[in-house]
Amino acid sequence: MKLLLIGSTGLVGHHVLDQALADPRVTEVVSIARRPLPAHPKLLSAVADFDRLPPEADWWRADAVICTLGTTLRAAGSEAAFRKVDHDYPLAVARLARQHGTPAYVLNSAIGADASSRFFYNRVKGEVERDLAGLGFASLTLVQPGLIGGRRTEFRLGERAAIGTLTLLGPLLPRRWRINPASTIAQAMLEAAINASPGMHVITSDQLA
């Protein structure tokens, strides 16, 4: 199968890329990112500006899209910039892929995603889920992890402290609130893309603990 991967330079996306390249069921991976990736026989590394995506590129015709794009309000610098990365870009990719006949889409969303939430972060996550559901993919999977465990390239103080606390308390916590390893999230996303079960599916944090 041909897999289109968005967000391969992030924590979860990096794991998706590694697992997809190692999986014999995946014959080709197209990664769209702002910078090129190391060469691999199965990988087409496409460099693109997400504000000016080429509408007629062959990239968009695939068997499935996996999108792991995401940022934080602090890293984005403003609510508008955050919305662009976590809502506008995943939706722009989805529209182009759908226009070219790609039947399946898998999104790395977040626990608490709710388009009617009074919390901005949760509301944006819920809005992108809602808008993706309206595009008509034959298979749509929304993965909703909680706190993601793994080594990031950038330092996030609050997240690091929370991971330390939840690691200590892990056995005492409900599965919903335990740390979700990035590799486990990636595996769930890859399986959802390969299997592409018809309809809309939600994978919750307790399934990823």
Side-chain angles (χ1 to χ4, degrees):
M1 69 172 295
K2 178 181 178 181
L3 178 67
L4 178 59
L5 175 58
I6 314 297
S8 57
T9 59
L11 175 57
V12 174
H14 178 73
H15 282 279
V16 173
L17 178 63
D18 285 349
Q19 291 180 21
L21 292 177
D23 195 315
R25 296 172 296 177
V26 178
T27 54
E28 181 181 3
V29 179
V30 179
S31 169
I32 303 177
R34 294 186 183 275
R35 59 180 184 271
L37 300 176
H40 187 281
K42 287 169 58 170
L43 175 65
L44 171 60
S45 178
V47 178
D49 181 346
F50 282 91
D51 289 311
R52 289 179 288 274
L53 292 169
E56 298 304 323
D58 289 338
W59 313 330
W60 308 119
R61 189 173 291 104
D63 295 297
V65 177
I66 292 181
C67 180
T68 63
L69 279 179
T71 186
T72 63
L73 275 169
R74 181 175 181 178
S78 69
E79 289 189 350
F82 175 85
R83 178 180 291 277
K84 181 177 286 190
V85 174
D86 279 62
H87 176 276
D88 298 353
Y89 291 166
L91 198 60
V93 167
R95 285 175 174 148
L96 287 167
R98 190 71 197 96
Q99 289 168 14
H100 285 77
T102 298
Y105 193 102
V106 183
L107 175 73
N108 189 36
S109 183
I111 188 174
D114 182 354
S116 62
S117 175
R118 62 189 181 92
F119 298 106
F120 177 76
Y121 179 90
N122 291 355
R123 186 166 66 251
V124 171
K125 293 293 189 180
E127 287 172 352
V128 71
E129 289 187 354
R130 176 199 64 199
D131 294 343
L132 286 170
L135 294 182
F137 283 99
S139 176
L140 174 64
T141 301
L142 307 171
V143 182
Q144 299 177 338
L147 192 61
I148 300 174
R151 186 179 297 276
R152 294 188 184 273
T153 55
E154 81 275 21
F155 180 74
R156 298 181 180 179
L157 178 60
E159 187 175 87
R160 186 74 60 84
I163 287 175
T165 301
L166 291 181
T167 299
L168 291 174
L169 297 176
L172 305 176
L173 294 172
R175 292 183 65 85
R176 174 180 172 83
W177 298 110
R178 295 179 189 176
I179 293 171
N180 297 152
S183 59
T184 302
I185 300 168
Q187 183 178 17
M189 297 187 79
L190 183 59
E191 290 300 326
I194 292 173
N195 295 327
S197 300
M200 188 172 79
H201 311 274
V202 178
I203 299 176
T204 57
S205 59
D206 57 305
Q207 297 173 271
L208 300 166

